[in-house]
């Protein structure tokens, strides 16, 4: 059963309306009420400059995207790349291309010689240019890929990713730069590198592309960083490393 309030005289009700209006106009409403964020800017469609410009017939330079190569004669035991020695992989590549120091498998001659002097105990130490191998599922097939880092002269770092498919081993990514950090975010490989402008860095996101069957640079950024090497406002992920691969 509903209870109706007794009807008040008209003058009293009018006075209440005036008081309520004054409160609303004076901004003395409930602090929890919605407030206007101001005028919404009008959406503007992108304007195309030089619409008659013919498309480029070839890229300006080879970025190395979709550069893949099978590693002949190597099979991961049980298809598990965690059981594959990175030195064995790199030496097999060097043996296939003994006179090639460029391209997806190229290394400078001095680095190749240093790798030849490495053993399993020296991997990941200053005595060997090969960093401790990392294993992450970057392709989404629930099997970990092999991620190899190789120290190069002049502070450069080469990063290679190997995947196992159809019983063979294939290099699905290679890049080298003045790298300051490598991280894994989901199934993406994020590589940070020094820029020529102080206070800024390059950040490239490499992602698996099932059509190319390779890791492609899907996002390339030029970012301002603070004194800690992070972009302003960013927060480091738990366990992430700024000097190497995320553990």
């Amino acid at each position: 059963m509903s209870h109706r309030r007794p009807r008040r005289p008209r003058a009293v009700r009018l006075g209440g309306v005036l008081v309520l209006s004054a409160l609303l106009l004076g901004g003395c409403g409930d602090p929890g009420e919605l407030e206007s964020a101001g005028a919404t800017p009008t959406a503007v469609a992108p304007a195309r400059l030089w619409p008659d410009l013919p498309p480029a017939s070839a890229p300006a330079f080879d970025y190395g995207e979709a550069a893949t190569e099978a590693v002949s004669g190597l099979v991961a035991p049980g298809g598990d790349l965690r059981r594959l020695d990175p030195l064995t992989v790199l030496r097999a590549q060097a043996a296939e291309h003994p006179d090639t120091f460029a391209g997806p498998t190229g290394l400078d001659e001095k680095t190749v010689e240093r790798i030849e002097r490495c053993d399993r105990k020296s991997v990941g130490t200053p005595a060997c240019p090969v960093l401790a191998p990392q294993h992450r599922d970057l392709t989404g097939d629930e099997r970990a890929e092999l991620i190899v880092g190789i120290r190069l002269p002049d502070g450069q770092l080469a990063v290679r990713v190997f995947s196992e498919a159809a019983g063979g081993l294939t290099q699905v990514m290679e890049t080298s730069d003045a790298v300051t950090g490598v991280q894994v975010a989901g199934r993406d490989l994020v590589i940070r590198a020094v820029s020529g402008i102080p206070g800024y860095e390059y950040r490239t996101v490499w992602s698996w592309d099932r059509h190319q069957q390779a890791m492609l640079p899907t996002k390339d950024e030029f970012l301002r960083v603070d004194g800690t090497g992070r972009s302003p406002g960013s927060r480091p992920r738990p366990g992430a490393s700024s000097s190497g691969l995320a553990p």
Side-chain angles (χ1 to χ4, degrees), residues 129 131 149-153 155-159 175-179 182:
L131 304 182
I150 310 166
R151 294 192 189 94
L152 304 177
Q156 303 282 307
L157 181 73
V159 179
T175 188
S176 58
D177 208 335
V179 175
V182 183

Side-chain angles (χ1 to χ4, degrees), residues 147-233:
I147 308 171
V148 178
I150 310 166
R151 294 192 189 94
L152 304 177
D154 300 325
Q156 303 282 307
L157 181 73
V159 179
R160 297 182 180 183
V161 176
F162 299 89
S163 181
E164 196 275 337
L169 186 68
T170 300
Q171 179 179 294
V172 296
M173 173 195 155
E174 192 280 337
T175 188
S176 58
D177 208 335
V179 175
T180 60
V182 183
Q183 297 174 320
V184 176
R187 291 201 301 268
D188 293 335
L189 198 62
V190 183
I191 297 182
R192 298 167 47 202
V194 175
S195 78
I197 302 178
Y200 291 82
E201 72 174 12
Y202 292 105
R203 190 173 301 176
T204 305
V205 179
W206 293 78
S207 309
W208 175 252
D209 185 279
R210 63 185 181 87
H211 299 289
Q212 294 295 325
Q213 292 293 294
M215 298 286 291
L216 301 183
T218 55
K219 189 175 183 180
D220 204 5
E221 300 175 296
F222 186 69
L223 302 174
R224 171 74 178 170
V225 293
D226 59 20
T228 65
R230 298 196 305 268
S231 298

Side-chain angles (χ1 to χ4, degrees), residues 7-71:
R7 190 172 183 179
R8 296 181 179 181
R10 180 181 179 87
V12 174
R13 288 189 290 113
L14 180 59
V17 171
L18 292 175
V19 172
L20 178 60
S21 300
L23 290 174
L24 291 177
L25 292 175
C28 298
D30 187 348
E33 291 179 352
L34 297 177
E35 297 181 3
S36 173
T40 302
T42 304
V44 179
R48 184 180 179 184
L49 305 182
W50 306 300
D52 298 329
L53 189 69
S57 58
F61 58 90
D62 182 10
Y63 196 77
E65 66 270 23
T68 65
E69 182 170 298
V71 184

